[in-house]
């Protein structure tokens, strides 16, 4: 039993880290736990964002609606609400093609847009299936917000959430707060710790990339996202999450030539995803669902007065 006096320090901390040393002073292991939740940290980020008095301009053009504010221009498709393009003062940012619901069947049934009481641009997407509602909001400051209503129920789910597209060849590195520095699977969460991590792009395939084994692997699922900055050849951009326990999927790892058993779990469509659930990984001899409760596919259900968490994301595309 250990008693640690950290009452004062913890008031301003984001993470509590505990390290065990042996009698020679060598580190045995370090553990970390969050002191704040994503919503609290997002509030700090947003409070420090420059306030703008500029107006949001909106123009419908064919099947698209164009909204711009404070040097940020977005184009949304009026039929399905997908992000067609993003531009900042430096030029084009190729983050497009979403939000696309992944993991369950979904059908877009309608969209509409308006300006709210503060003059922000609001675009609503209605779906049959998950999520029932998705809302874009471009604020006068240039911040772009997305909210997707929570999952109510479902069975045998490999992954569930929303996806976007981004060209892999434009990506140089990622810096994020969450579990790291290694990727995770549903049954391989231990071993990654909460912190702020950074890694350069690589295409390591364990067991095959013998001439260029670079770790940690860049691609895959990452746990407990707070925020992530993608460093690119175009323009870096940051995503801030307000949703607890959200997984961040960064591209799809290359498929080994000789896949055996359950060693190559499924990935959703798209390139970048924000997910409630991710798949487990199996072994050379067994599929994941044969490896115990933590490796089974997801099952969701809700009861009266349950607190459900929508996916809430902020996108900072400033140069």
């Amino acid at each position: 039993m250990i008693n640690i006096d950290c009452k004062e320090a913890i008031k301003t901390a984001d993470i509590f880290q505990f390290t065990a040393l042996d009698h020679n002073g060598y580190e045995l292991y370090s553990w970390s736990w969050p002191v704040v939740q994503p919503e609290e940290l997002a509030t700090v980020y947003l409070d420090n964002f420059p306030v703008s008095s500029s107006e949001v301009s909106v123009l419908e053009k064919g099947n698209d609606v164009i909204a711009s504010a404070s040097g940020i221009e977005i184009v949304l498709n009026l039929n399905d609400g997908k992000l067609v393009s993003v531009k900042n003062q430096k030029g084009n940012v190729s983050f497009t093609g979403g939000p696309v619901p992944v993991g369950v069947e979904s059908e877009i049934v309608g969209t509409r847009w308006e300006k709210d009481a503060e003059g922000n641009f609001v675009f609503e997407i209605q779906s049959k299936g998950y999520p029932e509602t998705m809302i874009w909001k471009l604020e006068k400051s240039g911040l772009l917000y997305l909210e997707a209503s929570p999952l109510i129920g479902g069975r045998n789910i490999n992954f569930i959430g929303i996806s976007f597209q981004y060209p892999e060849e434009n990506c140089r590195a990622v810096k994020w707060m969450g579990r790291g520095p290694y990727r995770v699977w549903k049954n391989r969460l231990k071993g990654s710790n909460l912190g702020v991590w950074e890694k350069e792009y690589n295409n390591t395939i364990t067991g095959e990339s013998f001439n260029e084994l670079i770790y940690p692997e860049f691609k895959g699922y990452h746990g407990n996202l707070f925020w992530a900055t993608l460093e690119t050849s175009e323009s870096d951009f940051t995503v801030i999450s307000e949703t607890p326990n959200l997984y961040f999927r960064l591209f799809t790892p290359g498929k080994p030539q000789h896949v055996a058993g359950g060693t190559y779990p499924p990935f959703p469509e798209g390139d970048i995803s924000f997910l409630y659930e991710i798949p487990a990984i199996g072994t050379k001899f067994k599929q994941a669902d044969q490896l115990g409760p933590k490796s089974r596919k997801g099952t969701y259900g809700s009861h009266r007065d349950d607190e459900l968490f929508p996916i809430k994301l902020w996108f900072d595309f400033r140069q």
Side-chain angles (χ1 to χ4, degrees), residues 172-184:
R172 292 176 174 172
V174 64
K175 185 175 183 178
W176 80 104
M177 179 176 172
R179 287 195 174 274
Y182 292 91
R183 63 191 185 191
V184 299

Side-chain angles (χ1 to χ4, degrees), residues 123-136:
F123 189 103
E124 184 177 310
I125 309 163
Q126 295 291 334
S127 305
K128 182 163 60 172
Y130 167 80
E132 291 184 1
T133 305
M134 293 182 284
I135 297 174
W136 286 108

Side-chain angles (χ1 to χ4, degrees), residues 102 162-164 247-250 268-275:
V102 293
I162 54 176
S163 276
F164 293 85
Y247 293 100
F248 172 50
R249 173 274 189 113
L250 194 57
E269 63 178 285
D271 303 305
I272 296 175
S273 307
F274 305 93
L275 307 163

Side-chain angles (χ1 to χ4, degrees), residues 212-233:
E212 198 175 7
L213 281 172
I214 302 172
Y215 289 102
E217 303 99 327
F218 187 82
K219 305 177 190 178
Y221 299 111
H222 301 79
N224 294 87
L225 176 69
F226 283 74
W227 55 264
T229 297
L230 203 63
E231 299 174 17
T232 77
S233 58

Side-chain angles (χ1 to χ4, degrees), residues 29-33 179-194 223-224 247 278 294:
Y29 198 74
S30 291
W31 298 262
S32 58
W33 298 268
R179 287 195 174 274
Y182 292 91
R183 63 191 185 191
V184 299
W185 307 97
K186 183 179 179 180
N187 57 345
R188 296 290 186 274
L189 298 178
K190 292 184 177 180
S192 62
N193 277 326
L194 282 163
N224 294 87
Y247 293 100
I278 62 172
K294 289 186 178 180

Side-chain angles (χ1 to χ4, degrees), residues 59-243:
L59 172 68
E60 283 196 26
K61 189 176 181 180
N63 290 326
D64 298 329
V65 58
I66 305 167
S68 57
S70 298
I72 304 297
E73 179 191 277
I74 64 166
V75 180
L76 298 173
N77 186 283
L78 286 166
N79 297 321
D80 56 20
K82 289 182 183 176
L83 194 59
V84 177
S85 69
V86 178
K87 291 181 181 178
N88 61 16
Q89 293 175 338
K90 188 176 181 181
N92 189 59
V93 182
S94 303
F95 184 77
T96 61
V100 173
V102 293
V104 294
E105 293 184 3
S106 182
E107 179 186 354
I108 305 298
V109 295
T111 67
R112 67 181 186 90
W113 70 267
E114 64 180 4
K115 282 192 176 182
D116 63 16
E118 287 76 37
N120 303 310
F121 169 72
V122 179
F123 189 103
E124 184 177 310
I125 309 163
Q126 295 291 334
S127 305
K128 182 163 60 172
Y130 167 80
E132 291 184 1
T133 305
M134 293 182 284
I135 297 174
W136 286 108
K137 182 172 70 169
L138 179 64
E139 296 196 339
K140 292 188 288 185
S141 63
L143 267 178
L144 181 62
Y145 174 73
L146 176 65
E147 180 174 330
S149 57
L151 180 67
I152 304 299
R155 297 178 61 85
N156 296 322
I157 295 171
N158 276 317
F159 43 74
I160 181 74
I162 54 176
S163 276
F164 293 85
Q165 295 174 357
Y166 190 81
E168 190 175 316
E169 60 270 18
N170 291 352
C171 197
R172 292 176 174 172
V174 64
K175 185 175 183 178
W176 80 104
M177 179 176 172
R179 287 195 174 274
Y182 292 91
R183 63 191 185 191
V184 299
W185 307 97
K186 183 179 179 180
N187 57 345
R188 296 290 186 274
L189 298 178
K190 292 184 177 180
S192 62
N193 277 326
L194 282 163
V196 175
W197 311 99
E198 187 168 9
K199 57 184 175 181
E200 294 184 354
Y201 175 86
N202 65 74
N203 195 30
T204 294
I205 302 175
T206 296
E208 290 189 10
S209 304
F210 295 113
N211 296 325
E212 198 175 7
L213 281 172
I214 302 172
Y215 289 102
E217 303 99 327
F218 187 82
K219 305 177 190 178
Y221 299 111
H222 301 79
N224 294 87
L225 176 69
F226 283 74
W227 55 264
T229 297
L230 203 63
E231 299 174 17
T232 77
S233 58
E234 297 177 323
S235 183
D236 301 352
F237 63 92
T238 299
V239 185
I240 304 102
S241 169
E242 289 191 35
T243 306

